[in-house]
Amino acid sequence: MNSKCPEKKLIISDIDGTLFNSHNDLPPTTEDAVRNLINEHNCVFTLSTGRSFIYTQPLIAYLNIEIPYAYSGGTIYDPQTESVIFEDPINCDQVAQVVQVAEKYKVSLLAHTVNNMYCQVNQSDWLNVSSREWMKGKPTQCPLRVQDIMAEVPDEIIRLDLFAEVNWLSTVYAEIKELVSDVNVFEMNRSIEITTSKIDKGYALQRIAEYLNIPIKDTIAIGDSLNDASLLNAAGFGVAMDTAPDQLKKIADAVVPSSDEGGLEKAMQMIS
């Protein structure tokens, strides 16, 4: 654990729609701003994302981030020790209930483990998932396709995603909320994200700040989606992107332009 340095600030950012633009790319000017911040003596920078490990760790390595980061909605990994320092797996009963709903509505299901992702999906969705890149032009380790998540995933599951290109996903969301207890459930544009009730980005920020001996008042969080609400609420200063829903903007201390318009750079100018 690092020695206490009260003057340090911790900046933590979401990836998609915040650090990355709408083309899944990291604009050069944003990258320069992040790298300059990482080299600052009075600031440290890290990420908090819903992405799984295989889509997050390559970016961590690319940016040379050396402090813990949060992925899969709140699991924390330390790249220095190459180990998970906080996780809270979904129990078997909860997984079974989610699988039941996914199969009822015939929607695809992704299971995150601490170092991989397993996909119970149809062929069309598999072609989509298996071709995803961690950044535009940067392929990643391919997730694993399974027929039965309950039987074929060898490790504990830390997050589940249901997704489908349909306009009735809110029906699935409502059933998950009613059926499965002690979980956090977020309805996104074309997906539903599920973790245990102990896992969210805000709690992850608190754990990372404590790990680094940085007071929570000296943390700045930047995000663009409803799953960033706990992150902005927990931080000493919360920044929402202009593309964020109104619910997130209402709890933010500041709103900056979209990721396509250099919003993260604007947020960093507030910090410096």
Side-chain angles (χ1 to χ4, degrees):
M1 188 179 297
N2 295 349
S3 58
K4 188 172 183 179
C5 184
E7 296 181 357
K8 277 200 179 228
K9 290 189 180 295
L10 168 61
I11 297 91
I12 188 164
S13 173
D14 173 52
I15 298 177
D16 298 294
T18 304
L19 177 66
F20 280 10
N21 62 23
S22 59
H23 304 290
N24 191 38
D25 206 1
L26 178 59
T29 52
T30 301
E31 180 177 339
D32 289 344
V34 169
R35 291 191 184 278
N36 289 338
L37 195 64
I38 290 172
N39 292 327
E40 286 277 345
H41 293 297
N42 63 342
C43 289
V44 287
F45 178 87
T46 193
L47 299 172
S48 181
T49 180
R51 290 182 173 208
S52 68
F53 183 83
I54 61 175
Y55 296 107
T56 307
Q57 179 56 27
L59 177 58
I60 295 294
Y62 178 78
L63 291 174
N64 296 315
I65 293 174
E66 297 181 342
I67 64 172
Y69 65 90
Y71 67 101
S72 293
T75 297
I76 304 172
Y77 187 85
D78 186 347
Q80 292 274 44
T81 61
E82 298 184 348
S83 62
V84 172
I85 59 176
F86 175 72
E87 62 176 307
D88 190 48
I90 303 172
N91 69 46
C92 291
D93 289 341
Q94 292 167 325
V95 173
Q97 290 167 331
V98 174
V99 170
Q100 174 186 331
V101 175
E103 292 179 344
K104 173 182 175 181
Y105 289 96
K106 295 181 172 56
V107 296
S108 291
L109 184 60
L110 308 180
H112 301 217
T113 64
V114 294
N115 59 9
N116 216 325
M117 189 167 76
Y118 296 81
C119 311
Q120 183 177 317
V121 296
N122 59 41
Q123 182 61 19
S124 174
D125 287 339
W126 173 245
L127 292 174
N128 177 7
V129 172
S130 61
S131 63
R132 287 180 185 174
E133 300 171 322
W134 66 265
M135 185 166 73
K136 186 177 181 180
K138 305 283 187 181
T140 189
Q141 169 190 334
C142 188
L144 301 173
R145 190 179 186 184
V146 297
Q147 297 299 315
D148 184 348
I149 275 177
M150 290 293 296
E152 297 177 60
V153 176
D155 304 310
E156 292 181 312
I157 294 172
I158 57 174
R159 174 172 143 168
L160 290 164
D161 295 342
L162 294 85
F163 73 97
E165 294 291 332
V166 296
N167 58 10
W168 43 260
L169 207 56
S170 57
T171 303
V172 183
Y173 169 79
E175 189 155 334
I176 292 287
K177 289 281 287 183
E178 181 179 357
L179 182 64
V180 190
S181 59
D182 298 321
V183 292
N184 287 325
V185 187
F186 294 100
E187 183 180 7
M188 310 301 282
N189 186 31
R190 287 288 184 248
S191 67
I192 297 167
E193 304 173 354
I194 304 160
T195 61
T196 72
S197 57
K198 293 180 182 178
I199 289 279
D200 63 40
K201 290 185 175 185
Y203 185 64
L205 170 58
Q206 294 172 27
R207 293 289 295 256
I208 292 171
E210 180 182 359
Y211 189 83
L212 298 172
N213 284 317
I214 294 176
I216 201 71
K217 67 179 179 63
D218 292 328
T219 62
I220 299 96
I222 312 162
D224 76 308
S225 298
L226 285 179
N227 63 3
D228 295 314
S230 65
L231 181 66
L232 269 60
N233 271 324
F237 190 83
V239 180
M241 310 300 284
D242 189 54
T243 48
D246 289 342
Q247 300 98 304
L248 192 69
K249 291 178 181 177
K250 285 177 182 177
I251 65 173
D253 298 294
V255 177
V256 295
S258 73
S259 57
D260 289 337
E261 301 169 306
L264 192 68
E265 297 158 62
K266 296 287 194 302
M268 290 182 177
Q269 289 169 9
M270 295 177 183
I271 296 162
S272 56

